[in-house]
């Protein structure tokens, strides 16, 4: 075999390996399941060269009713197969798009550990909570067989223990765990103490994304409500949402996120909270909310192109502002970071500097459809932030209903 032929063979093998690795990477970036509106074929507008390999896929799309599904093999230009996915046929949904600010009041399911404080005793400093293995973010469910919802419940259990070991049942990352905590006597008044601080409630403001009038369920924020000290998602026991008026804002700059400033208005709640999860907060709406009815886009229909966001930076009336989707990911591991958006509207850039805290949940519109909601600001660049697909929020809303 000539030297030239050997080189050609090596180059061919390298090319095959490169293509194989590329195909595996592309396959990993595609979800296993797509939601496809009834009567429409599966089309990925971000990847127009990735099409169904079998021509019968179009016929299946036309004949499969909502609620059913079929398999589709996606391929490069209809020739090189990449991945077989499931197409679940759904009705084209429409929701009322809001963009209005709302207040959030939540009570946690248990007393969340938010801090530790060493206790000075006669023999030195001690911390029974740390010694028992408790950590920030743990949600204490009961102590010595008594249900604990707040700081008063925890304090009472420690006081009644009279220094004897207490069985503590707590929740950490979805797992129920047990430990023994032995209080110590200390401080100026010599009381029994555990050396920890707990909190049972949280409050804040965000933006209402949509109301689904077919179920009476709203969706907002696009991300979970986390405790300000621990960063842990709050385990919901009960909660409600209330109207809010935006009084002003703090402009965002590189390294310092801005925020909307508002106050709760009115004595009546707008609705309850039944879900605080990775894609936002959801519950039953009890008052009429102004908005615009708009169809919901599926994830594969969203383009890297210009969009509008609907948000409120003054009062309680939302306005549309210009932005652009710069990056999309159909199979993002984080369910609320499906896209990167950049604010391009001169007025919004001049006032708030871009995205600020409190805008979470602001609807994103493209081609007359609700495609998603703003979720996070990039701390080092307030002109940019993350967004979630509306499809993901609507799926959670349906489960909450």
């Amino acid at each position: 075999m000539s030297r030239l032929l050997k080189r050609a063979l090596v180059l061919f093998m390298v090319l095959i390996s490169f293509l194989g690795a590329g195909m595996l990477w592309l396959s990993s970036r595609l979800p296993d399941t797509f939601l496809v509106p009834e009567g429409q074929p599966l089309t990925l507008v971000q990847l127009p060269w990735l099409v169904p390999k079998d021509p019968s896929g179009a016929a299946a799309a036309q004949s499969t009713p909502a609620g059913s599904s079929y398999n589709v093999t996606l391929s490069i230009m209809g020739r090189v197969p990449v991945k077989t996915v499931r197409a679940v046929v759904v009705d084209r949904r429409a929701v009322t798009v809001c963009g209005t600010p709302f207040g959030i009041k939540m009570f946690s399911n248990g007393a969340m550990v938010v801090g530790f404080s060493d206790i000075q005793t006669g023999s030195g400093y001690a911390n029974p909570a740390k010694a028992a293995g408790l950590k920030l973010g743990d949600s204490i469910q009961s102590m010595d067989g008594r249900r604990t919802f707040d700081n008063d419940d925890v304090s009472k259990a420690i006081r009644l223990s009279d220094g004897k070991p207490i069985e503590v049942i707590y929740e950490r990352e979805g797992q129920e765990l047990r430990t023994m905590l032995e209080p110590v006597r200390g401080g100026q008044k010599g009381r029994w103490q555990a050396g920890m601080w707990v909190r049972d409630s949280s409050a804040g403001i965000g933006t209402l994304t949509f109301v689904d009038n077919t179920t009476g369920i709203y969706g907002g924020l696009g991300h979970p409500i986390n405790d300000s000290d621990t960063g842990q998602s709050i385990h919901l026991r009960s909660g409600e949402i209330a109207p809010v008026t935006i009084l002003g804002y703090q402009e965002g700059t590189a390294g310092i996120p801005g925020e909307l400033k508002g106050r709760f208005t009115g004595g009546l709640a707008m609705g309850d909270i039944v879900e605080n999860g990775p894609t936002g907060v959801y519950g039953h709406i009890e008052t009429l909310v102004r908005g615009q009815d708009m169809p919901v886009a599926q994830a594969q229909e969203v383009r890297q192109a210009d969009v509008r966001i609907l948000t409120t930076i003054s009062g309680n009336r939302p306005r549309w502002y210009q932005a652009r989707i710069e990056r999309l990911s159909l199979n993002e591991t984080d369910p609320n970071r499906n896209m990167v958006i950049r604010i391009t509207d001169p007025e919004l850039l001049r006032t708030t500097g871009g995205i600020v805290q409190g805008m979470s949940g602001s609807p994103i519109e493209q081609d007359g459809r609700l495609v998603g909601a703003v979720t996070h600001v990039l701390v080092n660049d307030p002109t940019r932030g993350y967004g979630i697909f509306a499809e993901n929020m609507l799926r959670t809303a349906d489960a909450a209903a």
Side-chain angles (χ1 to χ4, degrees):
M1 185 180 294
S2 67
R3 181 178 299 177
L4 184 61
L5 185 59
K6 287 182 179 179
R7 287 181 177 177
L9 183 59
V10 170
L11 287 174
F12 177 75
M13 295 301 293
V14 170
L15 179 61
I16 291 297
S17 299
F18 178 78
L19 290 175
M23 297 285 282
L24 287 173
W25 177 85
L26 180 58
S27 176
S28 70
R29 304 302 293 175
L30 296 172
D32 297 326
T33 303
F34 287 88
L35 301 183
V36 182
E38 186 174 11
Q40 297 184 16
L42 175 57
T43 303
L44 282 66
V45 297
Q46 309 98 309
L47 306 170
W49 41 267
L50 200 60
V51 297
K53 186 174 187 298
D54 188 350
S56 64
Q62 292 292 331
S63 60
T64 305
S68 303
S69 62
Y70 57 93
N71 289 333
V72 179
T73 298
L74 295 175
S75 63
I76 299 175
M77 304 301 292
R79 296 182 179 276
V80 182
V82 175
K83 184 175 184 177
T84 298
V85 299
R86 195 73 173 165
V88 178
V89 182
V90 297
D91 292 321
R92 171 73 74 183
R93 299 279 291 278
V95 296
T96 299
V97 175
C98 304
T100 46
F102 72 124
I104 300 160
K105 304 174 184 178
M106 281 184 55
F107 294 92
S108 62
N109 184 26
M112 179 179 287
V113 179
V114 297
F116 295 100
S117 178
D118 291 345
I119 302 163
Q120 186 174 9
T121 69
S123 57
Y125 286 94
N127 194 298
K130 284 185 178 180
L134 294 174
K135 296 182 178 180
L136 292 178
D138 288 347
S139 179
I140 299 176
Q141 304 297 303
S142 69
M143 299 182 72
D144 204 22
R146 298 181 181 87
R147 192 75 170 89
T148 51
F149 292 109
D150 53 29
N151 188 51
D152 289 339
D153 294 335
V154 172
S155 297
K156 182 178 180 180
I158 294 170
R159 185 174 68 253
L160 294 177
S161 72
D162 198 27
K164 297 177 181 177
I166 304 171
E167 182 186 49
V168 178
I169 298 177
Y170 62 100
E171 188 174 302
R172 177 186 296 167
E173 297 180 352
Q175 285 189 316
E176 186 176 277
L177 304 171
R178 297 169 183 264
T179 188
M180 298 301 295
L181 182 150
E182 187 171 352
V184 297
R185 193 187 293 275
Q188 294 181 350
K189 297 183 179 181
R191 294 174 177 172
W192 294 109
Q193 300 181 54
M196 63 180 175
W197 298 94
V198 299
R199 181 161 51 228
D200 70 319
S201 62
S202 181
I205 64 171
T207 301
L208 194 63
T209 309
F210 65 83
V211 173
D212 184 354
N213 293 313
T214 62
T215 62
I217 294 291
Y218 71 85
L221 288 189
H223 63 73
I225 301 172
N226 296 327
D227 180 79
S228 58
D229 290 313
T230 67
Q232 299 290 323
S233 177
I234 296 175
H235 303 282
L236 177 68
R237 172 164 57 96
S238 64
E240 64 182 27
I241 61 173
V244 160
T245 297
I246 301 299
L247 303 176
Y249 49 82
Q250 178 182 327
E251 182 181 356
T253 58
I256 304 176
E259 64 175 334
L260 298 178
K261 298 181 181 296
R263 62 178 174 85
F264 287 63
T265 55
L268 297 177
M270 297 168 58
D272 63 4
I273 301 175
V274 299
E275 174 75 19
N276 175 37
T279 65
V281 295
Y282 304 85
H284 306 92
I285 197 74
E286 297 175 358
T287 61
L288 181 63
V289 179
R290 291 188 301 266
Q292 175 184 346
D293 290 346
M294 191 176 292
V296 177
Q298 305 303 329
Q300 70 273 9
E301 298 175 322
V302 185
R303 300 179 294 120
Q304 289 183 203
D306 290 340
V307 295
R308 296 189 302 167
I309 70 167
L310 184 62
T311 196
T312 306
I313 63 172
S314 178
N316 52 24
R317 292 293 183 97
R319 285 187 53 189
W320 289 104
Y321 297 94
Q322 299 297 321
R324 184 173 181 83
I325 296 177
E326 293 191 327
R327 183 175 68 82
L328 287 166
S329 178
L330 290 172
N331 202 20
E332 187 65 58
T333 54
D334 192 330
N336 54 45
R337 299 190 179 190
N338 306 126
M339 63 185 89
V340 173
I341 64 171
R342 177 171 58 88
I343 302 300
T344 59
D345 194 283
E347 181 181 353
L348 195 59
L349 292 172
R350 178 177 55 81
T351 52
T352 65
I355 300 170
V356 297
Q357 296 175 7
M359 286 185 182
S360 296
S362 298
I364 304 172
E365 175 270 337
Q366 184 180 73
D367 301 327
R369 296 173 179 170
L370 176 66
V371 301
V374 177
T375 59
H376 300 82
V377 60
L378 299 182
V379 176
N380 292 325
D381 183 2
T383 67
R384 289 177 169 83
Y386 290 107
I388 182 175
F389 287 135
E391 171 187 300
N392 291 350
M393 293 187 70
L394 192 58
R395 185 185 296 118
T396 308
D398 287 342

PDB file of all heavy atoms in Angstrom, residues 156-184:
ATOM      1  N   LYS A 156     -40.594  25.544  71.321  1.00  0.00           N
ATOM      2  CA  LYS A 156     -41.386  24.828  72.322  1.00  0.00           C
ATOM      3  C   LYS A 156     -40.856  23.408  72.526  1.00  0.00           C
ATOM      4  O   LYS A 156     -40.731  22.930  73.669  1.00  0.00           O
ATOM      5  CB  LYS A 156     -42.846  24.789  71.898  1.00  0.00           C
ATOM      6  CG  LYS A 156     -43.760  24.106  72.908  1.00  0.00           C
ATOM      7  CD  LYS A 156     -45.206  24.147  72.435  1.00  0.00           C
ATOM      8  CE  LYS A 156     -46.123  23.463  73.448  1.00  0.00           C
ATOM      9  NZ  LYS A 156     -47.550  23.491  73.000  1.00  0.00           N
ATOM     10  N   ALA A 157     -40.531  22.724  71.416  1.00  0.00           N
ATOM     11  CA  ALA A 157     -40.017  21.352  71.523  1.00  0.00           C
ATOM     12  C   ALA A 157     -38.696  21.315  72.286  1.00  0.00           C
ATOM     13  O   ALA A 157     -38.455  20.418  73.097  1.00  0.00           O
ATOM     14  CB  ALA A 157     -39.849  20.752  70.128  1.00  0.00           C
ATOM     15  N   ILE A 158     -37.843  22.322  72.037  1.00  0.00           N
ATOM     16  CA  ILE A 158     -36.548  22.373  72.724  1.00  0.00           C
ATOM     17  C   ILE A 158     -36.756  22.670  74.214  1.00  0.00           C
ATOM     18  O   ILE A 158     -36.106  22.069  75.080  1.00  0.00           O
ATOM     19  CB  ILE A 158     -35.649  23.438  72.077  1.00  0.00           C
ATOM     20  CG1 ILE A 158     -35.302  23.014  70.641  1.00  0.00           C
ATOM     21  CG2 ILE A 158     -34.377  23.645  72.891  1.00  0.00           C
ATOM     22  CD1 ILE A 158     -34.621  24.095  69.838  1.00  0.00           C
ATOM     23  N   ARG A 159     -37.664  23.574  74.502  1.00  0.00           N
ATOM     24  CA  ARG A 159     -37.928  23.939  75.899  1.00  0.00           C
ATOM     25  C   ARG A 159     -38.492  22.757  76.687  1.00  0.00           C
ATOM     26  O   ARG A 159     -38.088  22.502  77.834  1.00  0.00           O
ATOM     27  CB  ARG A 159     -38.904  25.120  75.943  1.00  0.00           C
ATOM     28  CG  ARG A 159     -39.141  25.652  77.357  1.00  0.00           C
ATOM     29  CD  ARG A 159     -40.000  26.898  77.350  1.00  0.00           C
ATOM     30  NE  ARG A 159     -41.375  26.617  76.928  1.00  0.00           N
ATOM     31  CZ  ARG A 159     -41.886  26.959  75.756  1.00  0.00           C
ATOM     32  NH1 ARG A 159     -41.128  27.606  74.867  1.00  0.00           N
ATOM     33  NH2 ARG A 159     -43.142  26.686  75.447  1.00  0.00           N
ATOM     34  N   LEU A 160     -39.414  22.021  76.077  1.00  0.00           N
ATOM     35  CA  LEU A 160     -40.038  20.888  76.772  1.00  0.00           C
ATOM     36  C   LEU A 160     -39.107  19.689  76.907  1.00  0.00           C
ATOM     37  O   LEU A 160     -39.387  18.778  77.689  1.00  0.00           O
ATOM     38  CB  LEU A 160     -41.307  20.472  76.021  1.00  0.00           C
ATOM     39  CG  LEU A 160     -42.459  21.490  76.019  1.00  0.00           C
ATOM     40  CD1 LEU A 160     -43.622  20.977  75.178  1.00  0.00           C
ATOM     41  CD2 LEU A 160     -42.918  21.779  77.445  1.00  0.00           C
ATOM     42  N   SER A 161     -38.028  19.678  76.157  1.00  0.00           N
ATOM     43  CA  SER A 161     -37.112  18.526  76.221  1.00  0.00           C
ATOM     44  C   SER A 161     -36.389  18.450  77.557  1.00  0.00           C
ATOM     45  O   SER A 161     -35.951  17.367  77.972  1.00  0.00           O
ATOM     46  CB  SER A 161     -36.071  18.630  75.107  1.00  0.00           C
ATOM     47  OG  SER A 161     -35.132  19.664  75.384  1.00  0.00           O
ATOM     48  N   ASP A 162     -36.224  19.622  78.208  1.00  0.00           N
ATOM     49  CA  ASP A 162     -35.504  19.689  79.480  1.00  0.00           C
ATOM     50  C   ASP A 162     -34.099  19.100  79.353  1.00  0.00           C
ATOM     51  O   ASP A 162     -33.583  18.467  80.273  1.00  0.00           O
ATOM     52  CB  ASP A 162     -36.283  18.954  80.570  1.00  0.00           C
ATOM     53  CG  ASP A 162     -35.828  19.356  81.969  1.00  0.00           C
ATOM     54  OD1 ASP A 162     -35.331  20.507  82.117  1.00  0.00           O
ATOM     55  OD2 ASP A 162     -35.954  18.537  82.902  1.00  0.00           O
ATOM     56  N   GLY A 163     -33.498  19.291  78.175  1.00  0.00           N
ATOM     57  CA  GLY A 163     -32.127  18.848  77.968  1.00  0.00           C
ATOM     58  C   GLY A 163     -31.974  17.418  77.505  1.00  0.00           C
ATOM     59  O   GLY A 163     -30.859  16.969  77.223  1.00  0.00           O
ATOM     60  N   LYS A 164     -33.085  16.670  77.398  1.00  0.00           N
ATOM     61  CA  LYS A 164     -32.993  15.285  76.939  1.00  0.00           C
ATOM     62  C   LYS A 164     -32.892  15.250  75.410  1.00  0.00           C
ATOM     63  O   LYS A 164     -33.420  16.125  74.727  1.00  0.00           O
ATOM     64  CB  LYS A 164     -34.216  14.503  77.400  1.00  0.00           C
ATOM     65  CG  LYS A 164     -34.338  14.410  78.917  1.00  0.00           C
ATOM     66  CD  LYS A 164     -35.610  13.682  79.317  1.00  0.00           C
ATOM     67  CE  LYS A 164     -35.738  13.621  80.839  1.00  0.00           C
ATOM     68  NZ  LYS A 164     -37.012  12.975  81.255  1.00  0.00           N
ATOM     69  N   PRO A 165     -32.249  14.204  74.848  1.00  0.00           N
ATOM     70  CA  PRO A 165     -32.143  14.100  73.379  1.00  0.00           C
ATOM     71  C   PRO A 165     -33.521  14.082  72.711  1.00  0.00           C
ATOM     72  O   PRO A 165     -34.458  13.449  73.211  1.00  0.00           O
ATOM     73  CB  PRO A 165     -31.404  12.780  73.169  1.00  0.00           C
ATOM     74  CG  PRO A 165     -30.624  12.583  74.442  1.00  0.00           C
ATOM     75  CD  PRO A 165     -31.506  13.120  75.537  1.00  0.00           C
ATOM     76  N   ILE A 166     -33.634  14.796  71.580  1.00  0.00           N
ATOM     77  CA  ILE A 166     -34.885  14.909  70.831  1.00  0.00           C
ATOM     78  C   ILE A 166     -34.706  14.238  69.476  1.00  0.00           C
ATOM     79  O   ILE A 166     -33.710  14.470  68.774  1.00  0.00           O
ATOM     80  CB  ILE A 166     -35.266  16.387  70.599  1.00  0.00           C
ATOM     81  CG1 ILE A 166     -35.353  17.143  71.920  1.00  0.00           C
ATOM     82  CG2 ILE A 166     -36.566  16.505  69.838  1.00  0.00           C
ATOM     83  CD1 ILE A 166     -35.511  18.651  71.721  1.00  0.00           C
ATOM     84  N   GLU A 167     -35.681  13.416  69.078  1.00  0.00           N
ATOM     85  CA  GLU A 167     -35.654  12.872  67.726  1.00  0.00           C
ATOM     86  C   GLU A 167     -36.164  13.945  66.759  1.00  0.00           C
ATOM     87  O   GLU A 167     -37.260  14.478  66.920  1.00  0.00           O
ATOM     88  CB  GLU A 167     -36.523  11.624  67.595  1.00  0.00           C
ATOM     89  CG  GLU A 167     -36.439  11.036  66.184  1.00  0.00           C
ATOM     90  CD  GLU A 167     -37.390   9.868  65.958  1.00  0.00           C
ATOM     91  OE1 GLU A 167     -38.576  10.021  66.295  1.00  0.00           O
ATOM     92  OE2 GLU A 167     -36.948   8.842  65.425  1.00  0.00           O
ATOM     93  N   VAL A 168     -35.340  14.248  65.762  1.00  0.00           N
ATOM     94  CA  VAL A 168     -35.701  15.253  64.758  1.00  0.00           C
ATOM     95  C   VAL A 168     -35.902  14.558  63.419  1.00  0.00           C
ATOM     96  O   VAL A 168     -35.025  13.839  62.938  1.00  0.00           O
ATOM     97  CB  VAL A 168     -34.602  16.329  64.621  1.00  0.00           C
ATOM     98  CG1 VAL A 168     -34.974  17.345  63.537  1.00  0.00           C
ATOM     99  CG2 VAL A 168     -34.375  17.031  65.948  1.00  0.00           C
ATOM    100  N   ILE A 169     -37.066  14.753  62.835  1.00  0.00           N
ATOM    101  CA  ILE A 169     -37.345  14.271  61.477  1.00  0.00           C
ATOM    102  C   ILE A 169     -37.295  15.479  60.556  1.00  0.00           C
ATOM    103  O   ILE A 169     -37.985  16.473  60.789  1.00  0.00           O
ATOM    104  CB  ILE A 169     -38.713  13.581  61.393  1.00  0.00           C
ATOM    105  CG1 ILE A 169     -38.741  12.352  62.318  1.00  0.00           C
ATOM    106  CG2 ILE A 169     -39.026  13.169  59.962  1.00  0.00           C
ATOM    107  CD1 ILE A 169     -40.083  11.635  62.352  1.00  0.00           C
ATOM    108  N   TYR A 170     -36.462  15.393  59.527  1.00  0.00           N
ATOM    109  CA  TYR A 170     -36.290  16.528  58.626  1.00  0.00           C
ATOM    110  C   TYR A 170     -36.198  16.046  57.183  1.00  0.00           C
ATOM    111  O   TYR A 170     -35.994  14.856  56.916  1.00  0.00           O
ATOM    112  CB  TYR A 170     -35.046  17.342  59.003  1.00  0.00           C
ATOM    113  CG  TYR A 170     -33.733  16.584  58.900  1.00  0.00           C
ATOM    114  CD1 TYR A 170     -32.905  16.744  57.795  1.00  0.00           C
ATOM    115  CD2 TYR A 170     -33.326  15.722  59.917  1.00  0.00           C
ATOM    116  CE1 TYR A 170     -31.698  16.068  57.699  1.00  0.00           C
ATOM    117  CE2 TYR A 170     -32.125  15.045  59.839  1.00  0.00           C
ATOM    118  CZ  TYR A 170     -31.310  15.215  58.731  1.00  0.00           C
ATOM    119  OH  TYR A 170     -30.123  14.544  58.640  1.00  0.00           O
ATOM    120  N   GLU A 171     -36.354  16.989  56.267  1.00  0.00           N
ATOM    121  CA  GLU A 171     -36.314  16.677  54.838  1.00  0.00           C
ATOM    122  C   GLU A 171     -35.132  17.388  54.202  1.00  0.00           C
ATOM    123  O   GLU A 171     -34.896  18.561  54.445  1.00  0.00           O
ATOM    124  CB  GLU A 171     -37.618  17.115  54.161  1.00  0.00           C
ATOM    125  CG  GLU A 171     -37.750  16.651  52.724  1.00  0.00           C
ATOM    126  CD  GLU A 171     -39.096  16.971  52.142  1.00  0.00           C
ATOM    127  OE1 GLU A 171     -40.118  16.517  52.704  1.00  0.00           O
ATOM    128  OE2 GLU A 171     -39.137  17.696  51.125  1.00  0.00           O
ATOM    129  N   ARG A 172     -34.385  16.636  53.394  1.00  0.00           N
ATOM    130  CA  ARG A 172     -33.248  17.201  52.669  1.00  0.00           C
ATOM    131  C   ARG A 172     -33.242  16.643  51.254  1.00  0.00           C
ATOM    132  O   ARG A 172     -33.167  15.430  51.063  1.00  0.00           O
ATOM    133  CB  ARG A 172     -31.928  16.876  53.368  1.00  0.00           C
ATOM    134  CG  ARG A 172     -30.682  17.385  52.613  1.00  0.00           C
ATOM    135  CD  ARG A 172     -29.410  16.909  53.279  1.00  0.00           C
ATOM    136  NE  ARG A 172     -29.262  17.448  54.635  1.00  0.00           N
ATOM    137  CZ  ARG A 172     -28.375  16.985  55.521  1.00  0.00           C
ATOM    138  NH1 ARG A 172     -27.579  15.973  55.187  1.00  0.00           N
ATOM    139  NH2 ARG A 172     -28.302  17.524  56.725  1.00  0.00           N
ATOM    140  N   GLU A 173     -33.355  17.543  50.272  1.00  0.00           N
ATOM    141  CA  GLU A 173     -33.340  17.172  48.854  1.00  0.00           C
ATOM    142  C   GLU A 173     -34.350  16.061  48.566  1.00  0.00           C
ATOM    143  O   GLU A 173     -34.069  15.098  47.856  1.00  0.00           O
ATOM    144  CB  GLU A 173     -31.931  16.745  48.424  1.00  0.00           C
ATOM    145  CG  GLU A 173     -30.914  17.864  48.535  1.00  0.00           C
ATOM    146  CD  GLU A 173     -29.522  17.441  48.120  1.00  0.00           C
ATOM    147  OE1 GLU A 173     -29.318  16.231  47.895  1.00  0.00           O
ATOM    148  OE2 GLU A 173     -28.649  18.308  48.037  1.00  0.00           O
ATOM    149  N   GLY A 174     -35.551  16.200  49.150  1.00  0.00           N
ATOM    150  CA  GLY A 174     -36.627  15.263  48.872  1.00  0.00           C
ATOM    151  C   GLY A 174     -36.596  13.980  49.687  1.00  0.00           C
ATOM    152  O   GLY A 174     -37.504  13.162  49.577  1.00  0.00           O
ATOM    153  N   GLN A 175     -35.570  13.804  50.524  1.00  0.00           N
ATOM    154  CA  GLN A 175     -35.466  12.606  51.352  1.00  0.00           C
ATOM    155  C   GLN A 175     -35.798  12.928  52.804  1.00  0.00           C
ATOM    156  O   GLN A 175     -35.373  13.957  53.332  1.00  0.00           O
ATOM    157  CB  GLN A 175     -34.048  12.015  51.294  1.00  0.00           C
ATOM    158  CG  GLN A 175     -33.740  11.296  50.004  1.00  0.00           C
ATOM    159  CD  GLN A 175     -32.411  10.560  50.104  1.00  0.00           C
ATOM    160  OE1 GLN A 175     -31.425  11.090  50.607  1.00  0.00           O
ATOM    161  NE2 GLN A 175     -32.375   9.335  49.622  1.00  0.00           N
ATOM    162  N   GLU A 176     -36.567  12.030  53.437  1.00  0.00           N
ATOM    163  CA  GLU A 176     -36.878  12.188  54.853  1.00  0.00           C
ATOM    164  C   GLU A 176     -35.801  11.497  55.679  1.00  0.00           C
ATOM    165  O   GLU A 176     -35.535  10.312  55.508  1.00  0.00           O
ATOM    166  CB  GLU A 176     -38.254  11.597  55.174  1.00  0.00           C
ATOM    167  CG  GLU A 176     -38.696  11.866  56.605  1.00  0.00           C
ATOM    168  CD  GLU A 176     -40.095  11.364  56.894  1.00  0.00           C
ATOM    169  OE1 GLU A 176     -41.053  12.081  56.578  1.00  0.00           O
ATOM    170  OE2 GLU A 176     -40.208  10.227  57.418  1.00  0.00           O
ATOM    171  N   LEU A 177     -35.186  12.247  56.586  1.00  0.00           N
ATOM    172  CA  LEU A 177     -34.082  11.744  57.398  1.00  0.00           C
ATOM    173  C   LEU A 177     -34.393  11.946  58.876  1.00  0.00           C
ATOM    174  O   LEU A 177     -35.272  12.735  59.244  1.00  0.00           O
ATOM    175  CB  LEU A 177     -32.786  12.473  57.035  1.00  0.00           C
ATOM    176  CG  LEU A 177     -32.375  12.422  55.553  1.00  0.00           C
ATOM    177  CD1 LEU A 177     -31.204  13.346  55.290  1.00  0.00           C
ATOM    178  CD2 LEU A 177     -32.034  10.990  55.140  1.00  0.00           C
ATOM    179  N   ARG A 178     -33.663  11.224  59.722  1.00  0.00           N
ATOM    180  CA  ARG A 178     -33.847  11.317  61.176  1.00  0.00           C
ATOM    181  C   ARG A 178     -32.502  11.517  61.855  1.00  0.00           C
ATOM    182  O   ARG A 178     -31.478  11.019  61.387  1.00  0.00           O
ATOM    183  CB  ARG A 178     -34.506  10.039  61.730  1.00  0.00           C
ATOM    184  CG  ARG A 178     -35.904   9.779  61.192  1.00  0.00           C
ATOM    185  CD  ARG A 178     -36.386   8.380  61.554  1.00  0.00           C
ATOM    186  NE  ARG A 178     -37.690   8.105  60.972  1.00  0.00           N
ATOM    187  CZ  ARG A 178     -38.843   8.243  61.600  1.00  0.00           C
ATOM    188  NH1 ARG A 178     -38.854   8.607  62.880  1.00  0.00           N
ATOM    189  NH2 ARG A 178     -39.990   7.985  60.996  1.00  0.00           N
ATOM    190  N   THR A 179     -32.532  12.226  62.971  1.00  0.00           N
ATOM    191  CA  THR A 179     -31.329  12.395  63.765  1.00  0.00           C
ATOM    192  C   THR A 179     -31.741  12.671  65.208  1.00  0.00           C
ATOM    193  O   THR A 179     -32.915  12.939  65.486  1.00  0.00           O
ATOM    194  CB  THR A 179     -30.456  13.549  63.223  1.00  0.00           C
ATOM    195  OG1 THR A 179     -29.207  13.566  63.917  1.00  0.00           O
ATOM    196  CG2 THR A 179     -31.148  14.893  63.419  1.00  0.00           C
ATOM    197  N   MET A 180     -30.769  12.610  66.117  1.00  0.00           N
ATOM    198  CA  MET A 180     -31.005  12.942  67.522  1.00  0.00           C
ATOM    199  C   MET A 180     -30.272  14.229  67.848  1.00  0.00           C
ATOM    200  O   MET A 180     -29.087  14.394  67.540  1.00  0.00           O
ATOM    201  CB  MET A 180     -30.519  11.810  68.431  1.00  0.00           C
ATOM    202  CG  MET A 180     -31.241  10.484  68.227  1.00  0.00           C
ATOM    203  SD  MET A 180     -33.038  10.582  68.492  1.00  0.00           S
ATOM    204  CE  MET A 180     -33.103  10.964  70.261  1.00  0.00           C
ATOM    205  N   LEU A 181     -30.996  15.167  68.456  1.00  0.00           N
ATOM    206  CA  LEU A 181     -30.441  16.465  68.825  1.00  0.00           C
ATOM    207  C   LEU A 181     -30.531  16.622  70.335  1.00  0.00           C
ATOM    208  O   LEU A 181     -31.591  16.423  70.929  1.00  0.00           O
ATOM    209  CB  LEU A 181     -31.199  17.586  68.110  1.00  0.00           C
ATOM    210  CG  LEU A 181     -30.732  19.026  68.327  1.00  0.00           C
ATOM    211  CD1 LEU A 181     -31.029  19.854  67.083  1.00  0.00           C
ATOM    212  CD2 LEU A 181     -31.392  19.665  69.545  1.00  0.00           C
ATOM    213  N   GLU A 182     -29.407  16.965  70.949  1.00  0.00           N
ATOM    214  CA  GLU A 182     -29.374  17.122  72.409  1.00  0.00           C
ATOM    215  C   GLU A 182     -29.155  18.597  72.761  1.00  0.00           C
ATOM    216  O   GLU A 182     -28.044  19.112  72.623  1.00  0.00           O
ATOM    217  CB  GLU A 182     -28.255  16.269  73.012  1.00  0.00           C
ATOM    218  CG  GLU A 182     -28.269  16.252  74.526  1.00  0.00           C
ATOM    219  CD  GLU A 182     -27.290  15.244  75.100  1.00  0.00           C
ATOM    220  OE1 GLU A 182     -26.718  14.456  74.324  1.00  0.00           O
ATOM    221  OE2 GLU A 182     -27.101  15.255  76.337  1.00  0.00           O
ATOM    222  N   PRO A 183     -30.197  19.303  73.192  1.00  0.00           N
ATOM    223  CA  PRO A 183     -30.069  20.731  73.524  1.00  0.00           C
ATOM    224  C   PRO A 183     -29.072  20.964  74.653  1.00  0.00           C
ATOM    225  O   PRO A 183     -28.811  20.078  75.468  1.00  0.00           O
ATOM    226  CB  PRO A 183     -31.483  21.125  73.955  1.00  0.00           C
ATOM    227  CG  PRO A 183     -32.383  20.086  73.347  1.00  0.00           C
ATOM    228  CD  PRO A 183     -31.581  18.820  73.372  1.00  0.00           C
ATOM    229  N   VAL A 184     -28.527  22.183  74.683  1.00  0.00           N
ATOM    230  CA  VAL A 184     -27.622  22.577  75.761  1.00  0.00           C
ATOM    231  C   VAL A 184     -28.181  23.830  76.414  1.00  0.00           C
ATOM    232  O   VAL A 184     -28.914  24.607  75.796  1.00  0.00           O
ATOM    233  CB  VAL A 184     -26.189  22.837  75.243  1.00  0.00           C
ATOM    234  CG1 VAL A 184     -25.596  21.564  74.675  1.00  0.00           C
ATOM    235  CG2 VAL A 184     -26.174  23.957  74.218  1.00  0.00           C
TER     236      VAL A 184
END
